[in-house]
Structure formats: C-alpha cells, structure tokens
Amino acid sequence: MGHVTVVGGCRATNPSADILLGNIAEGQIVKINENGTPTEFYVAKHNYEPSLNGAGRTCVIRKLLYDYRQWNNTAVNTYANSSIDVWLNGPYKDLLDSTARGLIGTTKFYFTPGNANMTVRTLERAVFLASIAELGTSPTYANVEGSAFAMGGLIPATINGNAENQWTRSPDISDTANACIGSFLGGGGILEVIRTDQGCSRPCFTLPSTAKFDRRTLLLVG
C-alpha cells in the first residue's frame, strides 16, 4: 500500500498514493486549497470544450457558492471585463494556492458578448462562471453556450446552508441589463445586473486530466 511521508515540512509522495484527475468520475468531489483551506469542488466535465482547448482539460466547479456579488457595476450585461469577470481572474484566483494556479492556465469557452450583441463567440479566461446551459437549463431568453455538465443537481446551490441565486456568464438575450441565474427555486431565471444582493459567485476553472490528487483526501497535490 502506498504511503505519504513528510520531509522538511513538505509532502513527499509515493506515486501509488495519488490519483489522476482524469480517473476521478464526473460528479465526484475533489479538494483544492482556497485561501489556505481545502475547499470542495465537483468534477464537472472531462475533456471540456476539446475543439477549443484540445483534449485533456477537466472543468471543476465550486460545490458551494462563494459569496454574494455584483455581476457588473453598470446596468450592462457584457460578461467580458464585467465586475465579476475581473474579480474571478484577480482577487479570487489569488486565493488559490500556487499548485492550482500553476495548473489552471487559461480556458476557452463559448459566451455571448451581451449589450445587444447576441452572437455566440469564444472567450479565454483562467476562472469563469458556468453558462446557464452548462448548469443544465436552456431557457428561451438565453443562448446555448456549451453543453450541460454531465452531473445534475447544480441548481439550486447553497451558501451558509441556504439556497441562493447563482450568477452565470449568460446574458438575457432579450435585454441589455439582465443576466441569467441558476435560481434558488431551481431551474433558470434572470436578474438585473445592478442588483448587488441577489446573485452569488460560483467559480469554475479547468485543470489538466493529469493533475494529481491525494488518493485518501482527494486534495490537489500536483
């Protein structure tokens, strides 16, 4: 049986003690250090958007909502460089440990520019929000941006034990000031982007399928 030793305060691994991310089933939970604390993420989708990123990238999504957060600081539903996009790729990304940051790189995904530009295009980011389609809902007021994660049960999601609205990257294609949410009631919905207290952040990012997790704790180790 593999074992783990500690050398000079650092984890030294026996390879048999680790499991590759690609061998962990979709829907299972892994842990990634966030602000120094092991935090649970679902394995959401293996080979995430291979036509854009090549094979072997696995998308993970935070199990719990992170915080209540404004989608944008103006009433314009443009996801790229919105308030939440900037936060995800700055302050939030900096909360992840150096191992995770070194593996994330950037990911290409489908998105709708918003603000009356409703043609689906691609965007590249390190950390991002799921689209409403990826959460498993395809409402008439949103474009289809990617395909549903294989696992179910992502709507509703909770924060502090309470189900709340979770922001997606999808704008309301019939409006210039609304964004789609995974509703605390289940299914999809829309909110005005200027309403700061009614939507929560839920970070996603991808890791290589060769990323290693401790077999016992399922914590990212390299």
Side-chain angles (χ1 to χ4, degrees), residues 80-128:
N81 301 314
S82 63
S83 299
I84 201 165
D85 178 38
V86 170
W87 172 77
L88 286 167
N89 289 279
Y92 175 77
K93 182 184 174 185
D94 290 343
L95 295 178
L96 300 173
D97 68 15
S98 59
T99 299
R101 294 197 308 271
L103 292 169
I104 287 172
T106 58
T107 300
K108 294 178 182 178
F109 50 85
Y110 294 104
F111 91 118
T112 302
N115 194 24
N117 183 348
M118 300 307 175
T119 301
V120 175
R121 298 183 180 179
T122 60
L123 189 65
E124 186 170 1
R125 291 290 190 268
V127 188
F128 51 97

Side-chain angles (χ1 to χ4, degrees), residues 15-38:
S16 66
D18 298 329
I19 183 171
L20 299 182
L21 178 57
N23 293 329
I24 300 174
E26 292 175 344
Q28 295 299 303
I29 288 175
V30 295
K31 297 176 183 178
I32 299 168
N33 279 323
E34 180 185 275
N35 204 24
T37 301

